[in-house]
Amino acid sequence: MQEYTLALSEPVLVHGLRMSIDTLFRSLADQHAARAIAVVLSGTGSDGTLGLRAIKGHDGLTMAQSPATAQYKGMPRSAIATGLIDVVSPVKSIAERLADYLRHPYVNGMNKQAPVTAAEADRGELQAILAVLQTRTGHDFRNYKQATLQRRIARRMGLHLLQTHQVYSGDSDFRLHGLRVAGN
């Protein structure tokens, strides 16, 4: 892909198989980084699984069709088994879920605004989130870079369509597995 267009290239064979979805996802990750979105739908085999790592490595969004709604369950199951999928949804709900994510302030203001405003910091929302993390993981994140913590929290809020840090820290569906603090 170059400049938002698909370009054809010679197929790359991996153990005699064409892994075209992996190639597409890696290309998306390289070009669009955190704005890349991968959706794995019905299909056989594990094509797409390696490409998901590239999308996730750049903090992009990863979605998979619920295997229960897939005609061919292999690709969605393989993708979900990686632990890299942010959203698992029946195929009829994927477009709506994706549209909701794209409307979220995290995506619209990606890298343009501070995820935690000064007012929220004053009210202690970030401290409340860090307290929940410490309680659930036993790890104290208070000495981590605040910008990194804010970016990771904002991403998780976007994934779960939550609008405020207060709702996020009190959400019963609070998901720690996506709040990575190592690396970028």
Side-chain angles (χ1 to χ4, degrees), residues 98-160:
L98 182 56
D100 288 344
Y101 173 76
L102 293 172
R103 284 190 293 270
H104 192 274
Y106 167 73
V107 176
N108 289 322
M110 194 174 285
N111 301 322
K112 293 180 184 173
Q113 64 189 35
V116 178
T117 65
E120 287 175 319
D122 288 345
R123 289 193 310 262
E125 276 84 355
L126 180 58
Q127 296 309 312
I129 292 169
L130 296 180
V132 171
L133 282 167
Q134 186 169 12
T135 299
R136 294 195 183 176
T137 68
H139 190 84
D140 184 359
F141 289 94
R142 290 179 297 175
N143 293 324
Y144 280 74
K145 290 182 190 175
Q146 188 169 352
T148 300
L149 289 170
Q150 290 174 346
R151 188 175 60 252
R152 297 294 184 188
I153 290 167
R155 181 176 188 280
R156 296 308 300 172
M157 288 175 60
L159 291 174
H160 296 286

Side-chain angles (χ1 to χ4, degrees), residues 1-176:
M1 287 184 34
Q2 294 196 0
E3 298 184 30
Y4 307 108
T5 61
L6 289 173
L8 296 178
S9 62
E10 290 297 319
V12 175
L13 298 179
V14 177
H15 303 291
L17 300 172
R18 290 184 186 181
M19 304 300 273
S20 55
I21 304 301
D22 280 327
T23 302
L24 174 65
F25 287 171
R26 284 193 303 267
S27 179
L28 283 170
D30 290 344
Q31 186 169 22
H32 299 289
R35 292 187 181 276
I37 298 171
V39 180
V40 177
L41 300 172
S42 178
T44 61
S46 62
D47 192 11
T49 301
L50 295 174
L52 288 171
R53 292 188 197 289
I55 298 274
K56 199 68 165 169
H58 287 288
D59 285 337
L61 174 66
T62 57
M63 301 177 80
Q65 177 179 0
S66 169
T69 67
Q71 183 176 2
Y72 301 101
K73 300 167 183 359
M75 284 175 58
R77 279 188 179 153
S78 179
I80 293 165
T82 67
L84 300 172
I85 296 295
D86 295 310
V87 176
V88 176
S89 178
V91 71
K92 66 181 181 178
S93 304
I94 287 177
E96 180 181 345
R97 181 64 177 83
L98 182 56
D100 288 344
Y101 173 76
L102 293 172
R103 284 190 293 270
H104 192 274
Y106 167 73
V107 176
N108 289 322
M110 194 174 285
N111 301 322
K112 293 180 184 173
Q113 64 189 35
V116 178
T117 65
E120 287 175 319
D122 288 345
R123 289 193 310 262
E125 276 84 355
L126 180 58
Q127 296 309 312
I129 292 169
L130 296 180
V132 171
L133 282 167
Q134 186 169 12
T135 299
R136 294 195 183 176
T137 68
H139 190 84
D140 184 359
F141 289 94
R142 290 179 297 175
N143 293 324
Y144 280 74
K145 290 182 190 175
Q146 188 169 352
T148 300
L149 289 170
Q150 290 174 346
R151 188 175 60 252
R152 297 294 184 188
I153 290 167
R155 181 176 188 280
R156 296 308 300 172
M157 288 175 60
L159 291 174
H160 296 286
L161 306 176
L162 301 172
Q163 299 295 322
T164 68
H165 292 87
Q166 185 175 22
V167 171
Y168 182 70
S169 64
D171 183 21
S172 62
D173 197 29
F174 186 78
R175 305 204 181 186
L176 299 176

